Amino acid sequence: MPSDFNQQIIDEFRANEGRVGGMFEGSPLVLLTTTGAKSGRSVTTPVMYLADGDRYVIIASNAGADHHPAWYHNLRATPEATVEVGTEEFKVKAEFVEGAERDELYARMVAQAPGFAEYEAKTTRRIPVVALLRTAS
C-alpha cells in the first residue's frame, strides 16, 4: 500500500490531469504501477521522470537511502508495469541502464532536478537508472 504521502500525490495527480502542487509542482511525474515482488499485488508509486525520446527514464534514488526503493525490486522481478502520464495510461517494459549511458542519463536528471545530486552524495550504493519503454497494449 502506498504511504499516506504517496497516496496524497497519487490522488492529486489523478484529480488534476497529472499535475500536482507542493514540493513536486512543475516536476515531470509518472504514476508507476508495478507488481509486488513478494506480494504479487499491484503497487502504485509517484516517480519523477526524465524524457528521453520515447523512453521515460526513472531513477531508483530512494532519496539517497542505502537501499533501493521497493518499486525497483518489483521491476527486477517483473519488468512489465503500467505508467500514467497526464491523463494517459499505458503498459511499459523496464530496461536497466548501465555504464556510460546510465551516467549520462543520471547527469541529465541532475540538471533537471538538482536534488538527485544530493541523493547520490548521501549513499555509497550506485543508484540504478531505469528506462521505461511503451509496449503494445
Side-chain angles (χ1 to χ4, degrees), residues 25-137:
E25 185 170 1
S27 298
L29 286 182
V30 298
L31 297 185
L32 174 67
T33 301
T34 59
T35 301
K38 294 180 183 173
S39 70
R41 292 186 300 218
S42 290
V43 181
T44 301
T45 309
V47 183
M48 284 185 65
Y49 74 90
L50 170 73
D52 183 58
D54 60 353
R55 303 187 305 178
Y56 294 84
V57 176
I58 57 177
I59 309 292
S61 66
N62 206 15
D66 287 329
H67 58 278
H68 300 321
W71 63 256
Y72 176 80
H73 296 290
N74 294 347
L75 287 175
R76 276 288 184 195
T78 306
E80 294 78 22
T82 302
V83 162
E84 294 171 58
V85 178
T87 59
E88 189 177 11
E89 182 176 343
F90 50 91
K91 302 280 185 202
V92 294
K93 181 170 173 103
E95 290 186 355
F96 302 89
V97 184
E98 301 290 337
E101 183 184 17
R102 177 258 177 225
D103 296 344
E104 185 266 331
L105 290 169
Y106 199 97
R108 284 180 50 204
M109 179 61 94
V110 168
Q112 175 179 293
F116 282 91
E118 296 170 25
Y119 301 154
E120 197 168 36
K122 285 173 60 175
T123 186
T124 56
R125 71 182 171 92
R126 183 155 173 83
I127 296 175
V129 172
V130 180
L132 303 173
L133 293 100
R134 187 187 296 245
T135 61
S137 294

Side-chain angles (χ1 to χ4, degrees), residues 11-22:
D11 293 344
E12 185 177 0
F13 182 102
R14 289 178 173 156
N16 296 296
E17 299 180 337
R19 292 182 303 277
V20 298

